[in-house]
Amino acid sequence: MKKSIYLIILLSLIQTIIYSKGIIIANDSIMLKTFRDENTQYFKNMAEHINKNYDETIIHLGKETAYKKGSLFFYKTSKENLKTLLDNLKTKKYIWFLDSYGSEEFEYIYQNYETIAKENLKFLENLNIEYDGIAIDLEWINLNSNFQNNKKMIEIVKNLKKIIGKKKLFLFSSIIEDEKENSLRGYDESELSKYATLVPMIYIKDFGYYLYENKLKLNFNENRLENLLKYFNSKNYKISYSLESGIILHRNQNLYFIKTINNIDSLYSKTKQIYIDEQKHYKIEKLIVIEDLYIQRNDSLYEKILQNEEIYFLKINPEAVENSFWIWEYFIYYD
């Protein structure tokens, strides 16, 4: 059953009605700061908000072992806040770890997944945290590998299912509407589905973008999206839809996605709007910088944007998630 909710983005006052059954809390940089906050009530309020509006929750523990130095839940306060949040959640709760992109990172995961999984499950046990299952995100595992990782992927999923027993196992996967192509990518759907629930991921920005007549264009096709949704729904997959909006920098004839952000009001005093291109699933706003400014990038470093440089704000339309089970929003939700 669909649920109307009010999403407050990055603790701002911008409210948007969207629809979904599940939420994924997965922005590492924001979580690293937020979960160290000593305001326990904040996490009780967050849990209350999620309980009112969602049926299922996935929370990211980080790419590897959750409690090692530099990880999301290394600090005592972070552990306590994680427990507060999960103890107050009445939804189904899933814990996400094991995270890779490409064959090189996947090879590391393959060599270490059992150790990482057992350490994280022990971490949850020591905190006396109850949960309904785990999720893993292993993307583009055959990239630059000559298609050598299919069996390794099946081995990982099969063994993880043995480790967690009756608990649910979700596999975020880079799949499309073609079984043969998915197999080439490393995802044998029929075999993997014996052990895990596959979660296809839809990122509007990852369709790609380019410049044409000095305007930003997306390699986005409405019919292609409809074909993807039709295929995923025929398989009863729980679709994950990313609402990642952000800033794209045009520099030296190249485009760089440098910052995940959902509104750019704070930049208007140092920029001049050139145009707005509004489509069904997204909006593009072009800005010219009129005064040097700094933007904190997704990797936490600061990028100096110079006067007369061009930036584009790509805004994903939240209403487009109507066919999605999961919202992969990258932000913390707060009520």
Side-chain angles (χ1 to χ4, degrees):
M1 182 177 65
K2 295 176 182 176
K3 299 184 177 184
S4 296
I5 69 167
Y6 289 95
L7 166 62
I8 300 182
I9 301 172
L10 281 179
L11 315 185
S12 73
L13 297 179
I14 299 175
Q15 295 184 340
T16 307
I17 297 176
I18 60 178
Y19 304 93
S20 183
K21 295 182 72 172
I23 175 178
I24 302 171
I25 301 175
N27 185 309
D28 287 357
S29 60
I30 293 176
M31 290 173 67
L32 189 63
K33 298 175 183 177
T34 307
F35 277 84
R36 291 187 62 186
D37 196 312
E38 295 183 357
N39 181 10
T40 303
Q41 188 61 42
Y42 175 97
F43 295 92
K44 293 179 180 179
N45 292 344
M46 190 191 302
E48 182 181 358
H49 172 71
I50 293 173
N51 291 335
K52 287 179 181 177
N53 300 296
Y54 297 98
D55 298 324
E56 303 190 8
T57 307
I58 293 177
I59 186 166
H60 195 203
L61 290 192
K63 289 189 174 184
E64 295 187 33
T65 306
Y67 57 83
K68 288 186 177 179
K69 189 171 183 179
S71 299
L72 294 177
F73 300 102
F74 170 74
Y75 294 97
K76 179 181 178 182
T77 304
S78 301
K79 295 184 181 75
E80 292 172 348
N81 287 331
L82 175 65
K83 181 168 175 57
T84 296
L85 174 62
L86 291 175
D87 283 354
N88 283 276
L89 282 179
K90 295 180 174 61
T91 67
K92 290 184 178 180
K93 296 171 282 191
Y94 305 105
I95 308 299
W96 168 19
F97 53 84
L98 294 185
D99 190 347
S100 71
Y101 182 93
S103 59
E104 290 185 8
E105 289 186 6
F106 176 77
E107 184 60 31
Y108 174 81
I109 293 296
Y110 177 69
Q111 297 296 330
N112 296 278
Y113 75 91
E114 287 189 279
T115 299
I116 295 171
K118 290 177 180 178
E119 288 182 353
N120 278 337
L121 296 181
K122 186 66 176 178
F123 167 77
L124 296 171
E125 181 183 339
N126 290 339
L127 289 177
N128 195 27
I129 288 176
E130 296 183 1
Y131 60 99
D132 298 284
I134 67 170
I136 62 175
D137 178 20
L138 306 174
E139 300 183 44
W140 294 97
I141 65 169
N142 275 340
L143 189 64
N144 300 321
S145 74
N146 296 318
F147 314 110
Q148 297 298 311
N149 288 324
N150 294 49
K151 291 183 179 180
K152 292 180 180 179
M153 171 64 95
I154 294 171
E155 179 185 335
I156 289 175
V157 172
K158 187 175 181 179
N159 287 341
L160 280 178
K161 183 58 181 171
K162 288 181 180 178
I163 292 172
I164 65 174
K166 295 182 179 181
K167 293 186 184 294
K168 196 89 171 180
L169 175 60
F170 290 105
L171 170 61
F172 291 95
S173 46
S174 309
I175 59 176
I176 58 172
E177 71 280 28
D178 186 318
E179 286 193 39
K180 290 183 178 179
E181 173 62 24
N182 292 334
S183 183
L184 289 175
R185 294 184 178 197
Y187 308 99
D188 183 331
E189 293 176 80
S190 59
E191 188 66 22
L192 291 171
S193 294
K194 295 177 182 178
Y195 313 104
T197 298
L198 271 63
V199 181
M201 299 174 290
I202 296 178
Y203 306 83
I204 296 298
K205 85 172 180 61
D206 283 359
F207 277 71
Y209 38 80
Y210 61 96
L211 287 176
Y212 179 72
E213 295 183 347
N214 209 28
K215 291 186 176 181
L216 184 72
K217 302 292 183 180
L218 264 63
N219 290 316
F220 178 77
N221 183 287
E222 184 74 29
N223 292 331
R224 174 71 196 289
L225 178 60
E226 292 302 319
N227 288 336
L228 284 171
L229 294 175
K230 183 178 180 180
Y231 179 78
F232 296 154
N233 288 327
S234 73
K235 297 279 190 173
N236 293 316
Y237 290 154
K238 292 185 174 183
I239 302 167
S240 170
Y241 193 105
S242 169
L243 295 180
E244 186 182 23
S245 302
I247 296 172
I248 298 169
L249 170 64
H250 179 206
R251 176 179 288 168
N252 298 327
Q253 304 303 312
N254 293 311
L255 297 169
Y256 306 92
F257 190 92
I258 61 171
K259 176 64 176 176
T260 298
I261 187 172
N262 272 48
N263 98 62
I264 56 170
D265 289 352
S266 62
L267 294 180
Y268 284 133
S269 64
K270 293 187 176 184
T271 61
K272 177 183 177 181
Q273 184 187 95
I274 303 302
Y275 71 80
I276 292 179
D277 177 16
E278 192 152 4
Q279 304 291 330
K280 177 181 178 181
H281 290 275
Y282 62 89
K283 179 176 73 173
I284 295 173
E285 185 171 356
K286 181 177 180 178
L287 304 169
I288 292 289
V289 176
I290 58 177
E291 181 182 340
D292 291 359
L293 59 88
Y294 285 89
I295 294 176
Q296 187 176 19
R297 306 182 324 204
N298 277 359
D299 60 7
S300 297
L301 298 177
Y302 281 88
E303 184 77 41
K304 186 177 182 180
I305 313 298
L306 303 176
Q307 184 179 9
N308 295 323
E309 286 196 301
E310 301 172 350
I311 58 177
Y312 295 88
F313 176 52
L314 171 63
K315 171 70 173 178
I316 305 302
N317 181 7
E319 295 177 2
V321 306
E322 188 170 354
N323 291 310
S324 175
F325 186 95
W326 297 103
I327 298 173
W328 188 321
E329 219 286 36
Y330 293 91
F331 295 102
I332 297 294
Y333 287 66
Y334 179 78
D335 191 17

